[in-house]
């Protein structure tokens, strides 16, 4: 019952509105036509139930109705004519959309009438309709541009890089130190004795941070989603009106500028091939790293996002959609490809090897995606050529690297036993080398060649170590360089291919080198602290012999201190563990010798000349070793007892 009553009231109310409108229109029958049209426009915008009120005016048939419908729509369009003085700057595309909705409805009305009038000979109305559409499209072109620009979302680099996952691999494993004891095939010390035991302290692990890889779940908004519907409404009218070229021009120009800005945010500069080839290696290396990340981000996120955006805005207009996308992304992609081409045809040198392999790897993935996204043959052919060029550059650079490793015959040792430049050329990620199968018997051809290369490098380092006259420095050099290689392998996908056993064996070699270093450097020092040859027990030992022993110990320690403070061990953990290993052998032996014989020397004359250091003094001095900064302890005197 209530429903019927409500319906009756609603119907009655609508009838009263229409009746009132009819009375108003009837009262205007004797007024000029323009006045009636203005009133009709006011009424139709006031209440949507009066949208068909055109039939109330004059009431003289279909032709009058069409003319009046056109006149009303024309009135709306001319009100927003961008060339007229009173035209407002922009339509309201806000939440209410009253102005924009009215304007789009007027365009639809004229387009519908044009379809109807096209079969008639009323040339005057047809001409006016074409003119009105011209005015409307000029306005919509401006609106399309403004909505695009005003709703473009700048690339948020911080959020974007926050979505890039970084994997850290701990080194060494099991919480053990670099030269701490560990079960493997190579850590048996044939001689045993005083140098076979090393610290088992649980020290903090080191971490090697791999390069970033983009999270496949990451996404990016290129246009405020709230504006997509508005853009689609505008584009639909422009395409229907035959202004698709103007629509494409506006869209591709605005979005092309937005993508150029994305490259700037990602650190990609516009450089010619000639400019790229003049860049020094350190700067070029940084640009190559930025390029690798930019290609990932552009192809996986930005181009995919732009494709989705075109699909939404130009829904139902496949040809226009394809042209818009290709024209929008072409400049951005070609700028990236130009840099890749410049690197590919540039000078080949060993230090570029792994960075070029990275570029090839990311380009291979990008090319597969580009073939799906882009239909522009020029872009696809250029991408194919760059991929091929990077592959050739990688092969050529690899050959240069192999030749450099195998034929490097310099006879000048590295000062202070530091890492050789040949070893540092291995200082890159090895991500392109991994197969889906981690079985080392199924390595890629590049991975197999790298294994041969690492073996050649190791052999070359063994030969280089022989250039040092000081046997102890030979082992410092080998420890530095082998550890460097192990860390780089461990921190790359090649580590997974070679396996833990390969890493354990290399660490076993490092421990052997450490044992050999201790023996070469400190045997003579420790011999000074033995009981043999001093003429008896602690009670009746020869004071002269004891003085000679202390004097020799001081001289040996001071000489080692002078020389080995100048030696360099870059890795902080290895440096610390070597000091601890020395301390564990030398300091207890010195304390014991001092406890047995110190009093006999101290009770005589000039005791400070012979007993110059306490055990604590020596332990503190050991902290200065391997810093690469030579120091001297001559003329020192014992500080305290």
């Amino acid at each position: 019952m209530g429903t019927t009553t409500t319906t009756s009231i609603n119907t009655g109310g609508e009838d009263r509105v229409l009746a009132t409108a009819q009375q108003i229109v009837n009262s205007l029958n004797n007024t000029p036509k323009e006045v009636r049209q203005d009133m009709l426009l006011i009424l139709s915008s006031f209440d949507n139930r009066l949208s068909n009120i055109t039939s109330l005016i004059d009431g003289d048939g279909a032709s009058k109705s069409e003319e009046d419908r056109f006149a009303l729509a024309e009135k709306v369009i001319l009100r927003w004519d961008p060339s007229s003085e009173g035209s407002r700057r922009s339509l309201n595309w806000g939440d209410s959309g009253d102005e924009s909705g009215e304007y789009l409805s007027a365009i639809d009305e004229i387009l519908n009438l044009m379809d109807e009038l096209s079969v008639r000979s009323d040339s005057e109305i047809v001409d006016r309709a074409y003119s009105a559409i011209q005015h409307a499209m000029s306005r919509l072109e401006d609106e399309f541009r403004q909505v695009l620009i005003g709703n473009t979302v700048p690339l948020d680099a911080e959020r974007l890089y926050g979505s890039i996952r970084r994997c850290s691999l701990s080194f060494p494993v099991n919480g053990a130190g670099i030269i701490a004891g560990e079960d493997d095939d190579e850590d048996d010390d044939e001689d045993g004795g005083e140098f076979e035991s090393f610290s088992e302290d649980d020290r903090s692990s080191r971490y090697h941070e791999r390069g970033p890889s983009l999270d496949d779940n990451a996404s990016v908004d290129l246009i405020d989603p709230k504006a997509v519907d508005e853009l689609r409404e505008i584009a639909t009218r422009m395409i229907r009106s035959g202004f698709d070229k103007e629509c494409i021009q506006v869209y591709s120009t605005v979005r092309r500028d937005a993508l150029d800005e994305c490259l700037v945010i990602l650190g990609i500069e516009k450089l010619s091939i000639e400019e790229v080839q003049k860049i020094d290696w350190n700067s070029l290396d940084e640009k190559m790293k930025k390029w690798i990340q930019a290609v990932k981000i552009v192809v996986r996120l930005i181009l995919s996002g732009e494709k989705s955006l075109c699909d939404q805005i130009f829904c139902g207009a496949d040809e226009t959609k394809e042209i818009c996308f290709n024209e929008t992304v072409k400049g951005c992609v070609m700028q990236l490809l130009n840099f890749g081409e410049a690197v590919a045809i540039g000078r080949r040198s060993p230090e570029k090897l792994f960075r070029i392999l990275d570029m090839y790897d990311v380009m291979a993935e990008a090319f597969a995606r580009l073939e799906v996204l882009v239909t522009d043959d020029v872009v696809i052919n250029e991408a194919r050529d760059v991929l091929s060029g990077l592959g050739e550059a990688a092969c050529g650079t690899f050959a240069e690297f192999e030749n450099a490793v195998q034929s490097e015959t310099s006879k000048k040792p590295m000062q202070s036993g530091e890492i050789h430049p040949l070893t540092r050329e291995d200082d890159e990620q090895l991500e392109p080398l991994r197969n889906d199968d981690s079985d080392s018997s199924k390595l890629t051809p590049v991975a197999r060649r790298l294994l041969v290369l690492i073996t050649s490098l190791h052999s070359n380092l063994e030969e280089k170590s022989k250039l040092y006259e000081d046997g102890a420095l030979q082992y410092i050099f080998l420890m530095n360089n082998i550890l460097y290689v192990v860390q780089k392998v461990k921190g790359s996908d090649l580590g997974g291919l070679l396996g833990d056993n390969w890493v354990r064996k290399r660490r076993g070699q490092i421990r052997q080198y450490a044992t050999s270093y201790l023996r070469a450097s400190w045997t003579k020092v420790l011999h000074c602290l033995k009981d043999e040859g001093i003429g008896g027990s602690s009670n009746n030992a020869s004071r002269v012999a004891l003085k000679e022993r202390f004097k020799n110990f001081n001289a040996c320690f001071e000489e080692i201190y002078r020389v080995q403070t100048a030696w360099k061990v870059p890795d902080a953990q290895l440096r610390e563990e070597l000091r601890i290993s020395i301390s564990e052998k030398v300091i207890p032996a010195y304390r014991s010798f001092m406890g047995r014989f110190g009093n006999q020397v101290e009770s005589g004359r000039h005791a400070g000349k012979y007993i110059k250091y306490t055990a604590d003094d020596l332990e503190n001095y050991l902290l200065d070793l391997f810093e690469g900064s030579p120091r001297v302890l001559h003329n020192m005197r014992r500080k305290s007892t």
Side-chain angles (χ1 to χ4, degrees):
M1 189 73 170
T3 302
T4 304
T5 302
T6 302
T7 302
S8 299
I9 292 173
N10 290 341
T11 303
E14 185 169 335
D15 290 342
R16 285 195 295 273
V17 170
L18 292 173
T20 302
Q22 179 70 63
Q23 292 175 2
I24 295 172
V25 171
N26 290 339
S27 67
L28 295 174
N29 279 336
N30 296 323
T31 60
K33 182 178 179 180
E34 290 76 10
V35 176
R36 296 201 308 274
Q37 289 176 342
D38 286 342
M39 180 54 70
L40 180 58
L41 181 61
I42 293 171
L43 290 173
S44 62
S45 63
F46 177 75
D47 194 305
N48 58 14
R49 287 171 293 183
L50 302 178
S51 58
N52 295 321
I53 201 170
T54 53
S55 61
L56 300 175
I57 296 185
D58 297 331
D60 58 352
S63 61
K64 285 289 185 182
S65 176
E66 288 174 352
E67 182 180 348
D68 290 332
R69 283 166 54 198
F70 168 75
L72 284 172
E74 183 185 45
K75 194 86 170 180
V76 173
I77 289 173
L78 293 180
R79 187 201 308 164
W80 293 93
D81 182 1
S83 63
S84 64
E85 293 184 7
S87 173
R88 299 187 188 178
R89 178 171 296 180
S90 178
L91 292 168
N92 173 23
W93 295 95
D95 293 335
S96 62
D98 291 342
E99 295 172 348
S100 58
E102 179 188 30
Y103 195 78
L104 294 178
S105 295
I107 293 174
D108 290 341
E109 185 73 88
I110 292 181
L111 290 173
N112 291 334
L113 285 169
M114 288 177 70
D115 291 339
E116 299 171 15
L117 293 170
S118 61
V119 297
R120 294 207 256 278
S121 60
D122 192 344
S123 59
E124 180 184 352
I125 293 183
V126 172
D127 290 343
R128 285 173 61 192
Y130 277 117
S131 177
I133 288 299
Q134 289 281 350
H135 288 302
M137 291 305 108
S138 179
R139 164 60 70 183
L140 284 191
E141 185 176 336
D142 289 340
E143 296 293 327
F144 196 52
R145 181 181 294 105
Q146 293 306 316
V147 174
L148 276 171
I149 294 173
N151 291 278
T152 294
V153 179
L155 193 66
D156 186 344
E158 289 189 14
R159 185 191 66 81
L160 182 63
Y161 285 113
S163 71
I164 296 177
R165 60 180 180 270
R166 294 178 180 272
C167 302
S168 293
L169 299 179
S170 61
F171 181 86
V173 295
N174 299 329
I178 294 172
I179 59 176
E182 183 179 270
D183 292 335
D184 62 53
D185 298 334
E186 300 186 21
D187 70 342
D188 292 334
D189 183 4
E190 295 179 359
D191 297 330
E194 58 196 1
F195 294 108
E196 69 181 351
S197 175
F198 293 90
S199 171
E200 296 286 350
D201 292 346
D202 184 14
R203 303 180 181 94
S204 59
S205 297
R206 288 174 52 79
Y207 292 90
H208 174 75
E209 191 172 72
R210 291 179 51 196
S213 59
L214 193 63
D215 187 345
D216 286 332
N217 295 322
S219 62
V220 60
D221 287 328
L222 306 174
I223 289 284
D224 188 336
K226 296 178 181 177
V228 173
D229 288 342
E230 300 163 4
L231 292 167
R232 180 170 56 250
E233 294 291 337
I234 297 174
T236 299
R237 271 73 178 188
M238 293 185 73
I239 294 170
R240 183 183 173 189
S241 301
F243 283 74
D244 48 323
K245 290 182 179 179
E246 288 79 358
C247 186
I248 291 170
Q249 177 67 28
V250 171
Y251 183 88
S252 59
T253 299
V254 174
R255 294 305 305 154
R256 193 162 49 230
D257 290 345
L259 296 194
D260 287 344
E261 182 63 25
C262 288
L263 290 184
V264 172
I265 293 172
L266 293 173
I268 302 299
E269 306 171 61
K270 277 191 176 181
L271 299 170
S272 66
I273 291 178
E274 293 76 16
E275 288 173 326
V276 172
Q277 294 179 344
K278 292 178 182 178
I279 300 173
D280 65 271
W281 164 240
N282 287 335
S283 298
L284 180 60
D285 186 45
E286 287 301 313
K287 294 184 187 302
M288 291 166 80
K289 286 191 286 188
K290 289 180 179 179
W291 183 90
I292 289 166
Q293 283 306 309
V295 170
K296 291 180 183 180
I297 291 167
V298 167
V299 177
R300 293 189 190 180
L301 289 182
I302 295 177
L303 296 194
S304 297
E306 194 66 46
K307 183 73 169 179
S308 175
L309 192 60
C310 284
D311 289 343
Q312 295 176 69
I313 294 175
F314 303 103
C315 178
D318 292 345
E319 184 178 354
T320 302
K321 175 172 58 180
E322 180 181 341
I323 295 172
C324 272
F325 176 75
N326 286 333
E327 288 298 312
T328 295
V329 306
K330 184 175 182 178
C332 171
V333 174
M334 292 299 288
Q335 184 177 337
L336 291 171
L337 293 178
N338 286 342
F339 181 85
E341 180 185 5
V343 171
I345 66 177
R347 185 178 65 86
R348 295 172 182 176
S349 54
E351 70 271 9
K352 296 180 181 178
L353 173 60
F354 295 107
R355 195 66 74 204
I356 291 178
L357 287 174
D358 284 342
M359 290 181 66
Y360 177 84
D361 186 47
V362 77
M363 190 63 218
E365 180 184 342
F367 180 70
R369 290 177 180 250
L370 286 173
E371 281 193 305
V372 175
L373 292 170
V374 180
T375 58
D376 188 313
D377 289 339
V378 173
V379 174
I380 295 302
N381 290 336
E382 180 68 16
R384 184 182 292 110
D385 290 344
V386 169
L387 178 61
S388 176
L390 287 172
E392 293 176 3
C395 292
T397 306
F398 202 111
E400 292 285 335
F401 194 8
E402 284 184 310
N403 182 64
V405 170
Q406 295 168 0
S407 64
E408 209 282 333
T409 57
S410 64
K411 298 301 181 182
K412 184 178 180 180
M414 288 298 297
Q415 186 177 7
S416 308
E418 288 192 76
I419 298 168
H420 198 282
L422 204 59
T423 308
R424 288 195 182 276
E425 288 172 359
D426 192 28
D427 182 15
E428 302 295 340
Q429 299 179 64
L430 306 177
E431 291 186 275
L433 311 177
R434 187 168 190 168
N435 270 336
D436 291 336
D437 191 336
S438 60
D439 184 352
S440 60
S441 65
K442 298 181 180 180
L443 297 178
T444 65
V446 175
R448 290 195 190 96
R449 291 185 70 179
L450 272 176
L451 286 175
V452 173
L453 184 61
I454 290 173
T455 302
S456 298
L457 176 62
H458 195 171
S459 299
N460 200 310
L461 291 173
E462 291 276 3
E463 290 300 314
K464 295 268 182 261
S465 71
K466 296 175 183 177
L467 298 175
Y468 295 98
E469 295 181 2
D470 191 321
L473 186 54
Q474 292 183 18
Y475 299 117
I476 294 294
F477 171 80
L478 287 170
M479 278 189 284
N480 281 336
N481 283 268
I482 300 304
L483 176 60
Y484 189 87
V485 172
V486 170
Q487 287 175 328
K488 296 307 171 184
V489 169
K490 181 74 175 177
S492 72
D493 283 341
L494 190 58
L497 292 171
L498 299 180
D500 292 338
N501 188 53
W502 185 92
V503 175
R504 272 199 303 272
K505 286 182 178 295
R506 299 300 124 1
R507 290 177 60 200
Q509 288 180 323
I510 294 172
R511 288 196 298 279
Q512 286 186 332
Y513 293 144
T515 300
S516 298
Y517 156 76
L518 287 170
R519 189 177 293 117
S521 278
W522 297 94
T523 296
K524 186 176 180 181
V525 173
L526 291 173
H527 183 74
C528 296
L529 304 177
K530 291 184 177 296
D531 294 354
E532 294 85 355
I534 57 175
S537 66
S538 59
N539 293 326
N540 58 7
S542 168
R543 184 172 293 174
V544 173
L546 285 175
K547 288 180 178 180
E548 189 65 22
R549 284 293 180 87
F550 276 109
K551 182 179 178 181
N552 290 340
F553 173 86
N554 294 336
C556 288
F557 187 89
E558 289 166 2
E559 176 63 13
I560 289 175
Y561 182 89
R562 181 187 68 81
V563 172
Q564 297 192 18
T565 51
W567 294 357
K568 182 74 172 178
V569 176
D571 184 88
Q573 187 177 359
L574 177 60
R575 186 167 64 246
E576 177 191 4
E577 293 189 357
L578 283 171
R579 291 167 179 168
I580 291 172
S581 298
I582 296 167
S583 180
E584 288 177 341
K585 298 305 169 188
V586 175
I587 303 306
Y590 187 76
R591 289 186 192 279
S592 177
F593 193 78
M594 280 284 292
R596 296 196 307 276
F597 304 110
N599 288 336
Q600 295 186 52
V601 176
E602 288 177 331
S603 63
R605 296 174 61 188
H606 308 298
K609 180 180 178 180
Y610 304 102
I611 303 179
K612 297 167 65 174
Y613 312 109
T614 66
D616 290 341
D617 293 335
L618 298 178
E619 197 158 21
N620 288 331
Y621 290 139
L622 291 177
L623 299 178
D624 297 333
L625 300 183
F626 315 124
E627 292 287 351
S629 178
R631 300 187 181 188
V632 178
L633 285 179
H634 62 77
N635 294 327
M636 297 292 293
R637 289 293 182 267
R638 184 182 180 195
K639 295 179 180 179
S640 61
T641 58

